[in-house]
Amino acid sequence: MPTSPAPTTTRGAGSGGRRPILLDVAFLRLWTGATASGLATWALPFVLGLAVLDRTLGATDLGLLLAARTIGFLAAVPVAGVLADRHSRRKVVLWAGLASGAAAPVLAAGLGRSVPLMAAAAAVAGAGQGACRPAYQALTAEVVDADRRQQANAAMTLAVRVTTLVGPSLAALLAVFLDTAALLVGIGLLWLVAAFVPGRGARPGVTGGAGGAVGAGGAKDAPGTSFLADFGEGVREARRHPWFIAGLGALTAVIATGYSATGVALPLVSRDEYGTEVVLAGAMTAYTAGALAGALLIARWRPRSPGRAALAGLAAYGFAPLSLVLPVHPAVVMAAYAVAGVGIELFNVPWFTAAQREVAPDRLARVSSLDFLLSYGLAPLGLALIAPAIEAFGAAPVLVACAFTCFAAPAAAALVPSSRGFSHRPAAEPAEARATGATR
């Protein structure tokens, strides 16, 4: 995801950094919208799972719907990155939320009647979710002053982690009183909150973080260019930042291996080695708790070498698959996942903040879309390959390979000189200067 700017002047951000970021009305509106979209995103698979339990959907149908949602997400991310740089980021969020909101009642109408109709609606819902992601990243840079963005990004990622816990739990509670169709309509209402609550971003002519004047998401590229040309501009912008390319490579490798081990190997180890689902549930809960703690820590912590500290946090995910190699006490597995959770947020927040600081504002959404496209796009491939690999080579060698990749990829990225501070500026520059404009 974000050439070195003067501090950004944006709407709703002139608080001087003294009051908590959530008391800034402009950011609070954006945060509320992002939280609503997060709740809707995490609740949907759970609600569709309830439809399998009551036999309205089959397990194969559920897999098809989730695959359709993923395809919609991946297809929309690069398109949304271009649109959010060409036009108002706020309007991209609006239309993305409306699309997902409209898809929810269609999903409800197709329950027990038409799986193809539900698959089409799931693809639209995924597209809306995918379109929101780069637009929200760029809007944060417009709404929040540069010296408060790390705090803002921490608040955004806290919302993601909380919704990971609350979304399914809230859906389970409501399922006691409502049927699956009503819950799907409720998810649509959450998307309407995500669409309408956030306010405007920067006014036309406001100076952005890295590239001078930036309108409400307007691009500086030549008008009338094709989608591929505009997207190519985003790729070229990303390549101007070696730290970004190196970090994205490391992030993609960790997600494709470490997350795959969590998604596939952890349930198998929990069942076969421990004979209980408690290890699976405990490890995932510990991971989320660690991520919450990591987000709270990085909201205030300013390491001297923020890039290398972030990459070290990313590498900590290697402890998760490593804990599954040998039979150890369940508490060791849970502790490893808690460390992985802390580490991922020590990476996420400085990563997003650096992108907002370093990338030219008129290309920020496109560069952010590359982040989501590659890191999320290769995750299904890792999930698809790890189970056959375990069958062919055994769980222990595959888990060791996953852990080694998680440790080695960020270490290799840290060797890129600009990775030290996630900045093109010389590493010898004072830490305070490097932090100008920023404090996954």
Side-chain angles (χ1 to χ4, degrees):
M1 296 224 297
T3 340
S4 154
T8 306
T9 303
T10 54
R11 288 174 56 91
S15 58
R18 292 187 176 182
R19 55 180 180 165
I21 190 68
L22 287 177
L23 294 182
D24 185 308
V25 174
F27 177 73
L28 178 59
R29 291 179 64 180
L30 184 66
W31 182 87
T32 301
T35 301
S37 71
L39 280 170
T41 296
W42 289 103
L44 181 59
F46 185 85
V47 172
L48 292 176
L50 293 177
V52 174
L53 293 180
D54 63 21
R55 302 185 185 280
T56 310
L57 277 180
T60 301
D61 298 334
L62 175 61
L64 174 64
L65 296 181
L66 295 180
R69 187 177 77 147
T70 300
I71 291 170
F73 178 94
L74 295 176
V77 164
V79 176
V82 171
L83 292 177
D85 281 339
R86 279 183 177 177
H87 308 290
S88 163
R89 279 98 185 235
R90 177 64 188 88
K91 288 183 179 178
V92 172
V93 168
L94 173 64
W95 288 107
L98 288 176
S100 290
V106 177
L107 280 167
L111 271 176
R113 297 181 181 88
S114 174
V115 172
L117 176 64
M118 294 186 71
V124 172
Q129 176 193 344
C132 274
R133 299 301 292 269
Y136 268 123
Q137 286 299 315
L139 264 179
T140 301
E142 293 182 3
V143 167
V144 181
D145 271 338
D147 60 353
R148 305 180 73 204
R149 285 184 193 148
Q150 183 151 324
Q151 191 181 37
N153 286 318
M156 294 288 264
T157 198
L158 272 170
V160 170
R161 297 305 174 185
V162 171
T163 55
T164 303
L165 290 174
V166 174
S169 303
L170 182 60
L173 177 62
L174 293 175
V176 177
F177 309 99
L178 302 172
D179 61 16
T180 304
L183 291 174
L184 287 171
V185 172
I187 288 175
L189 295 177
L190 284 172
W191 276 113
L192 294 183
V193 172
F196 288 111
V197 169
R200 291 185 179 182
R203 295 186 297 270
V206 172
T207 54
V214 56
K220 293 180 183 175
D221 303 326
T225 55
S226 68
F227 165 78
L228 289 178
D230 276 359
F231 190 73
E233 283 293 331
V235 174
R236 283 188 287 275
E237 173 65 23
R239 291 174 63 186
R240 289 202 315 111
H241 306 280
W243 63 268
F244 178 84
I245 298 300
L248 181 56
L251 176 63
T252 302
V254 169
I255 289 181
T257 56
Y259 278 33
S260 297
T262 293
V264 176
L266 177 60
L268 294 176
V269 170
S270 181
R271 181 195 67 189
D272 297 340
E273 298 296 330
Y274 297 97
T276 176
E277 303 85 5
V278 172
V279 176
L280 171 61
M284 297 312 298
T285 301
Y287 176 79
T288 302
L292 288 170
L296 290 171
L297 173 61
I298 201 60
R300 297 292 181 184
W301 183 39
R302 303 294 186 272
R304 292 182 61 84
S305 299
R308 290 180 180 172
L311 289 168
L314 181 63
Y317 204 95
F319 291 111
L322 192 62
S323 70
L324 305 177
V325 174
L326 298 174
V328 295
H329 192 278
V332 175
V333 177
M334 296 176 195
Y337 271 86
V339 170
V342 172
I344 201 66
E345 294 308 338
L346 295 185
F347 173 82
N348 276 338
V349 174
W351 175 254
F352 291 140
T353 304
Q356 292 159 354
R357 181 186 68 238
E358 299 291 327
V359 171
D362 55 301
R363 295 176 177 88
L364 176 54
R366 279 170 284 180
V367 173
S368 295
S369 72
L370 280 174
D371 182 343
F372 294 119
L373 184 64
L374 291 179
S375 58
Y376 285 96
L378 291 181
L381 179 62
L383 289 169
L385 292 178
I386 192 167
I390 289 175
E391 290 182 5
F393 304 106
V398 172
L399 289 169
V400 169
C402 288
F404 175 79
T405 301
C406 291
F407 292 136
L415 297 178
V416 175
S418 58
S419 291
R420 178 175 180 179
F422 280 167
S423 172
H424 73 286
R425 282 164 288 191
E429 189 174 346
E432 292 79 5
R434 292 198 309 273
T436 299
T439 35
R440 251 184 227 233

